[in-house]
């Protein structure tokens, strides 16, 4: 029976100690982040909890803080998210399918496109706002309209959407494709009936994450002309609009009393919507891995 040398035991003991120290600091960082989050939510609830009501959701912004609501900003956000989804989802999914399914060997051109998609995902959002201002607002003559804002937000979320959809397609076992092709199906039939259903949960997760980002972005919409004060709900693609983040920014900059509470209440509404969207994404991801 062999015995472990003393130096080896000391080395093993030091490794275990380092592991415990690392786990302790990770736990400490997690607890600190949770405490900061709880403090933030408590401060928001303390400031704006009393403003949450049905009238707050159904009233337009007002110069009087007690009467100010988020109806126009809430509906503007709904318009932006829906239009962004209608523009970006077909393009994003089609691009991911083309890159992953129709170019399995990844030519130099596809590698160049893939590299640029990855780089675009890290570009600051204000750059997309400047691009939207130059292309959609001025060159294409869309003006400072809701469709110009949605087109700009589509450019912003496309890199994220394409990347997540690609990962979902890659996760489908190659045997699904080979079995379908061996039974006589065409490549498009294989993609439509085998690959897409198998990757649906991952694709839906990417869609929800992309729309969540579009819901919470402010800088690009400020650049392309989202107005801080709008007392109407958009009724067409060419109408002016505002969104929740811009309304929050506007109220936060007000020096008059009462608007800070309204901003806190609007932040709570936005957080609830974003948490709901991300919870759906987490559920779909868990369902996929189950």
């Amino acid at each position: 029976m062999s015995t472990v040398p003393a130096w080896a035991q000391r080395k093993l003991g030091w490794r275990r100690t380092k592991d415990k120290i690392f786990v302790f600091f990770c736990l400490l960082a997690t607890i600190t982040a949770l405490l900061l989050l709880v403090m933030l939510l408590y401060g928001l609830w303390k400031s704006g909890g009393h403003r949450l009501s049905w009238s707050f959701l159904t009233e337009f912004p007002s110069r009087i803080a007690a009467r100010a609501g988020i109806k126009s900003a809430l509906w503007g956000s709904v318009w932006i998210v829906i239009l962004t989804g209608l523009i970006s989802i077909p393009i994003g999914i089609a691009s991911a399918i083309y890159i992953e399914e129709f170019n399995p060997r990844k030519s130099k051109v596809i590698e160049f496109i893939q590299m640029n998609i990855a780089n675009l995902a890290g570009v600051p959002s204000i750059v997309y706002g400047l691009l939207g201002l130059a292309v959609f607002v001025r060159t294409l003559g869309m003006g400072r309209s809701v469709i110009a804002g949605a087109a700009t937000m589509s450019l912003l979320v496309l890199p994220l959407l394409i990347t997540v959809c690609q990962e979902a397609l890659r996760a489908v076992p190659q045997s699904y494709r080979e079995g379908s092709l061996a039974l006589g199906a065409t490549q498009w039939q294989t993609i439509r009936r085998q690959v897409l259903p198998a990757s649906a949960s991952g694709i839906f997760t990417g869609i929800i994450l992309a729309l969540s980002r579009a819901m919470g972005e402010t800088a690009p919409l400020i650049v392309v002309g989202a107005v801080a004060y709008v007392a109407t709900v958009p009724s067409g693609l060419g109408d002016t609009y505002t969104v929740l983040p811009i309304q929050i920014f506007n109220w936060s900059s007000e020096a008059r009393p009462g608007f800070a509470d309204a901003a806190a209440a609007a932040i709570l509404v936005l957080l609830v919507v974003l948490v709901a969207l991300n919870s759906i994404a987490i559920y779909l991801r868990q369902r996929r891995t189950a």
Side-chain angles (χ1 to χ4, degrees), residues 235-273:
S235 58
L237 300 181
D239 291 349
T240 57
Y241 66 101
T242 188
V243 291
L244 274 174
I246 292 179
Q247 188 66 68
I248 292 169
F249 174 78
N250 184 39
W251 282 341
S252 300
S253 60
E254 283 280 355
R256 289 173 292 177
F259 284 101
D261 295 346
I267 292 173
L268 289 174
V269 174
L270 181 60
L271 283 175
V272 169
V273 175

Side-chain angles (χ1 to χ4, degrees), residues 70-122:
I70 59 171
K71 181 178 180 178
S72 57
L74 187 59
W75 279 101
S77 294
V78 171
W79 270 80
I80 288 293
V81 169
I82 291 177
L83 291 175
T84 299
L86 292 176
I87 297 172
S88 62
I89 291 173
I91 298 175
I93 295 177
S95 300
I97 291 174
Y98 178 76
I99 294 173
E100 289 299 320
E101 301 298 326
F102 292 97
N103 292 275
R105 295 185 179 181
K106 299 294 186 295
S107 64
K108 295 295 183 181
V109 175
I110 295 301
E111 289 181 357
F112 177 76
I113 294 174
Q114 187 69 67
M115 179 185 66
N116 281 277
I117 290 173
N119 291 334
L120 287 172

Side-chain angles (χ1 to χ4, degrees), residues 101 167-177 194-196 198-199 288:
E101 301 298 326
E167 293 297 330
L169 294 172
R170 288 181 196 144
V172 178
Q174 188 63 25
S175 59
Y176 285 29
R177 301 174 178 86
Q194 300 298 327
V195 177
L196 287 179
S199 60
R288 176 188 175 189

Side-chain angles (χ1 to χ4, degrees), residues 29-41:
T30 303
I31 293 174
T32 303
L34 289 175
L35 287 176
L36 291 175
L37 178 61
V38 170
M39 291 172 60
L40 173 63
L41 293 176

Side-chain angles (χ1 to χ4, degrees), residues 265-284:
I267 292 173
L268 289 174
V269 174
L270 181 60
L271 283 175
V272 169
V273 175
L274 293 177
V275 168
L277 290 175
N278 283 276
S279 299
I280 295 173
I282 293 172
Y283 169 76
L284 292 174

Side-chain angles (χ1 to χ4, degrees), residues 13-260:
W14 173 236
R15 287 181 177 177
R16 290 175 177 173
T17 302
K18 288 193 294 183
D19 287 343
K20 292 180 180 178
I21 293 173
F22 178 73
V23 171
F24 170 77
F25 279 108
C26 288
L27 180 62
L28 181 63
T30 303
I31 293 174
T32 303
L34 289 175
L35 287 176
L36 291 175
L37 178 61
V38 170
M39 291 172 60
L40 173 63
L41 293 176
Y42 175 75
L44 291 173
W45 179 260
K46 185 177 179 180
S47 299
H50 65 280
R51 287 299 313 275
L52 293 176
S53 63
W54 182 249
S55 61
F56 182 72
L57 300 177
T58 56
E59 295 291 334
F60 288 107
S62 172
R63 302 296 182 184
I64 303 174
R67 300 178 183 176
I70 59 171
K71 181 178 180 178
S72 57
L74 187 59
W75 279 101
S77 294
V78 171
W79 270 80
I80 288 293
V81 169
I82 291 177
L83 291 175
T84 299
L86 292 176
I87 297 172
S88 62
I89 291 173
I91 298 175
I93 295 177
S95 300
I97 291 174
Y98 178 76
I99 294 173
E100 289 299 320
E101 301 298 326
F102 292 97
N103 292 275
R105 295 185 179 181
K106 299 294 186 295
S107 64
K108 295 295 183 181
V109 175
I110 295 301
E111 289 181 357
F112 177 76
I113 294 174
Q114 187 69 67
M115 179 185 66
N116 281 277
I117 290 173
N119 291 334
L120 287 172
V123 172
S125 60
I126 188 68
V127 177
Y128 288 97
L130 295 173
L131 178 62
L133 177 64
V135 176
F136 301 119
V137 176
R138 295 179 178 173
T139 303
L140 297 181
M142 293 181 180
R144 301 178 181 274
S145 61
V146 65
I147 186 61
T152 303
M153 297 308 296
S154 298
L155 293 178
L156 174 65
V157 303
L158 265 177
L160 171 63
L161 182 57
I162 294 173
T163 302
V164 176
C165 290
Q166 283 185 258
E167 293 297 330
L169 294 172
R170 288 181 196 144
V172 178
Q174 188 63 25
S175 59
Y176 285 29
R177 301 174 178 86
E178 294 173 352
S180 178
L181 293 172
L183 292 173
T186 63
Q187 187 173 12
W188 171 240
Q189 288 174 333
T190 299
I191 294 171
R192 182 166 58 91
R193 298 178 181 178
Q194 300 298 327
V195 177
L196 287 179
S199 60
S201 59
I203 292 175
F204 286 143
T205 299
I207 291 172
I208 293 172
L209 292 177
L211 296 183
S212 297
R213 184 178 182 187
M215 185 83 174
E217 283 289 347
T218 308
L221 297 179
I222 292 178
V223 176
V224 297
V227 185
Y229 177 80
V230 176
T232 57
V233 173
S235 58
L237 300 181
D239 291 349
T240 57
Y241 66 101
T242 188
V243 291
L244 274 174
I246 292 179
Q247 188 66 68
I248 292 169
F249 174 78
N250 184 39
W251 282 341
S252 300
S253 60
E254 283 280 355
R256 289 173 292 177
F259 284 101

